[in-house]
Amino acid sequence: EAQVTQNPRYLITVTGKKLTVTCSQNMNHEYMSWYRQDPGLGLRQIYYSMNVEVTDKGDVPEGYKVSRKEKRNFPLILESPSPNQTSLYFCASSSGGGYTEAFFGQGTRLTVV
Amino acid sequence: DQQVKQNSPSLSVQEGRISILNCDYTNSMFDYFLWYKKYPAEGPTFLISISSIKDKNEDGRFTVFLNKSAKHLSLHIVPSQPGDSAVYFCAASAGGNTDKLIFGTGTRLQVFP
């Protein structure tokens, strides 16, 4: 089954404690992205990757890091989480970037206290 | 500055009637537009898209209209069904070899019997 898998689904952490949210896709897609969803703000892109070792900033990259060492994986790293990073995060992949449909994971609800 | 706007946070429609969801954009460089549907506790799923070289695209009950001069697009659902109740996001892409997508804030559609 074609899917994008995020882990964990729920996470509560404390300010400043480094964390990683993993994302994996089994569709051999070249493009992968991270988004955050906040009330009244919709979905905002954090980072995207066009291929292995190729990443670029989205609209809200501050406080986040990503890496793309393998085609299937695109982890999101919060080196020093802060309460304003409390949000619902989605990973997505697509075969052709902005011109093709993206497949989204089920989301990770992160709370930073 | 919000480049993609969905000015109606919510819409309520009776089953069997037409649902019209609207989206406005400001960036004339956008050349591809997509609609996604999101149910609670799930990731967004692709619904329909349109290229800027077209003014209409139809897929079953779903039709997207694009008015480039007005920088406006709309999604029509006919007939509306209770299963269509979800949050709908429009998204815009400037294409090229990137995965950069700008989403609107979403419209919550409720279809009642």
Side-chain angles (χ1 to χ4, degrees), chain B residues 18-30:
Chain B
I18 184 172
S19 295
I20 300 177
L21 294 90
N22 295 304
C23 181
D24 297 294
Y25 62 96
T26 57
N27 190 339
S28 58
M29 296 299 291
F30 290 145

Side-chain angles (χ1 to χ4, degrees), chain A residues 75-88:
Chain A
L76 179 69
I77 302 156
L78 285 72
E79 295 267 3
S80 183
S82 63
N84 65 12
Q85 293 178 298
T86 292
S87 187
L88 179 59

Side-chain angles (χ1 to χ4, degrees), chain B residues 35-48:
Chain B
W35 284 92
Y36 286 84
K37 178 168 73 173
K38 185 182 180 305
Y39 293 119
E42 295 184 12
T45 55
F46 171 76
L47 193 57
I48 192 169

Side-chain angles (χ1 to χ4, degrees), chain A residues 27-79:
Chain A
M27 294 167 278
N28 202 35
H29 285 166
E30 292 190 347
Y31 295 82
M32 298 185 74
S33 288
W34 276 103
Y35 296 86
R36 59 179 289 175
Q37 183 187 2
D38 301 289
L41 297 176
L43 287 160
R44 294 180 293 167
Q45 196 172 41
I46 302 170
Y47 270 95
Y48 60 96
S49 169
M50 293 158 283
N51 212 327
V52 175
E53 303 291 3
V54 182
T55 63
D56 205 350
K57 296 177 181 178
D59 287 327
V60 288
E62 296 78 18
Y64 304 94
K65 281 177 56 178
V66 292
S67 69
R68 187 95 181 271
K69 293 184 169 51
E70 304 167 279
K71 198 171 187 179
R72 63 182 290 124
N73 295 324
F74 191 43
L76 179 69
I77 302 156
L78 285 72
E79 295 267 3

